[in-house]
Amino acid sequence: SRSRQAPQLAFFVLGKFLRLLSVYALFKFLSARNGTESIVVFTFVCSLVSGALFFIFQRPWHGRPLTTSQIYLTALNGGVLALALLLWGKSLQACGPVRTVLAEYTGAMLGAASTLVLGRGGHKWKKVTSSDSDEQGRVGLGPISMSIAAGTLFALRRIVARRATMKKRLHSITVAAATCFLFPFAMLQLSLGETSPTTEAHGSPAWAYMSTIVFGMVAGFYVDNYAEERLHILATSSEHLLVTSVLLIVLELVIYQMDFSLVGFLICSSLLGFGMLLSRGKHNIL
């Protein structure tokens, strides 16, 4: 069994590495633009292209017609996804990759635990918040809170998708709904001229867009589903966090050689992993 799972684990680790690589690519691009890049426009473009790819891969027009409840839940999920992506992008721009990723896990843990309380009749749970090591100096509570909120919304979106059934088929419609929610805000920013064209000094945005769409949004969805269905590694599990933590250490210390406190990171990720074990208890919500 272990020998059979080795290639599957390797695929999962590779997928998570590529997803984190896209996070660093986006962070580098946003840092180079010095706050002039619109997160709303960037998110809208990525959502639009990834939604088109999901429609090609999943073909949601095939199969049984959607029920009224599924349509409502999918529209709601689209709004939740749009808000989560915006909060996550704002947090990444202000906090950097490590803080954002750990805070996202914190939010996912809180989302799972809150659903456990509401859906199971008040089980006790504990929360652990993370304050990651220095990447760009100190950041305020606001940017970290945005990433925690994004992680909570991502967790709630997965729960709603399960209750709507046909999770994979409806995901393409959910992304399309998120694109519709983002459209008026993106057009408003473009019409007001709040974005500036990329100059040669800022570099080409092609890698940031491509990696976010392909590795972050499309491949990331399939990799997480694969890990959940084949390896039983949930997105809110300590195993999932362990793989991400090891990859973050490699990216920070080996590849990007950023200002990174290994001891502080290990303390924060260990506390977060312990909190995940406590919040899961006897029931697996996600």
Side-chain angles (χ1 to χ4, degrees):
S1 177
R2 288 181 179 273
S3 62
R4 282 198 218 104
Q5 278 196 332
Q8 297 175 336
L9 284 171
F11 174 77
F12 170 61
V13 173
L14 177 61
K16 295 307 298 180
F17 176 77
L18 292 175
R19 193 260 175 175
L20 290 174
L21 202 62
S22 72
V23 173
Y24 278 83
L26 176 56
F27 174 67
K28 290 292 186 181
F29 171 66
L30 294 176
S31 299
R33 297 300 304 274
N34 295 321
T36 60
E37 181 70 20
S38 170
I39 298 296
V40 177
V41 175
F42 184 93
T43 304
F44 168 73
V45 173
C46 292
S47 179
L48 177 65
V49 178
S50 62
L53 292 175
F54 279 123
F55 263 83
I56 295 173
F57 298 149
Q58 298 175 355
R59 300 180 180 181
W61 55 87
H62 291 300
R64 294 176 299 170
L66 298 178
T67 64
T68 303
S69 62
Q70 286 176 328
I71 294 174
Y72 288 150
L73 286 174
T74 302
L76 173 64
N77 236 3
V80 171
L81 177 60
L83 179 58
L85 290 173
L86 289 178
L87 290 174
W88 185 89
K90 289 287 187 181
S91 176
L92 178 65
Q93 189 176 38
C95 302
V98 174
R99 290 189 183 95
T100 299
V101 171
L102 286 188
E104 180 186 346
Y105 273 104
T106 303
M109 179 193 69
L110 297 180
S114 62
T115 305
L116 183 63
V117 170
L118 296 175
R120 300 283 182 175
H123 290 281
K124 292 183 179 180
W125 53 281
K126 298 180 181 181
K127 71 176 182 177
V128 178
T129 57
S130 61
S131 58
D132 187 26
S133 57
D134 277 341
E135 280 180 345
Q136 290 185 310
R138 297 183 179 275
V139 295
L141 182 61
I144 293 292
S145 300
M146 287 191 294
S147 188
I148 294 175
T152 305
L153 291 175
F154 284 137
L156 295 178
R157 185 193 63 79
R158 287 191 291 267
I159 293 167
V160 173
R162 277 176 171 78
R163 292 182 177 177
T165 68
M166 298 190 296
K167 180 176 62 174
K168 290 184 180 179
R169 180 188 173 196
L170 290 179
H171 184 70
S172 59
I173 305 175
T174 300
V175 176
T179 305
C180 294
F181 278 106
L182 292 168
F183 175 76
F185 300 102
M187 293 303 103
L188 178 62
Q189 287 207 346
L190 288 174
S191 64
L192 294 176
E194 296 185 11
T195 59
S196 60
T198 303
T199 62
E200 190 65 28
H202 291 141
S204 170
W207 172 239
Y209 277 94
M210 186 192 74
S211 62
T212 300
I213 293 168
V214 176
F215 302 135
M217 301 185 74
V218 178
F221 170 77
Y222 288 110
V223 167
D224 281 341
N225 276 332
Y226 182 86
E228 180 180 336
E229 295 171 0
R230 298 290 184 89
L231 302 174
H232 306 291
I233 298 178
L234 308 177
T236 53
S237 67
S238 55
E239 297 89 349
H240 202 284
L241 174 64
L242 176 62
V243 172
T244 301
S245 298
V246 172
L247 293 176
L248 283 173
I249 292 173
V250 172
L251 285 165
E252 287 282 325
L253 295 181
V254 179
I255 298 179
Y256 288 97
Q257 299 180 352
M258 300 179 73
D259 184 12
F260 178 70
S261 172
L262 179 60
V263 175
F265 174 78
L266 291 176
I267 293 174
C268 290
S269 58
S270 298
L271 289 174
L272 183 54
F274 181 65
M276 285 180 168
L277 291 174
L278 291 178
S279 67
R280 282 175 64 183
K282 296 181 180 180
H283 303 283
N284 290 330
I285 296 300
L286 293 177

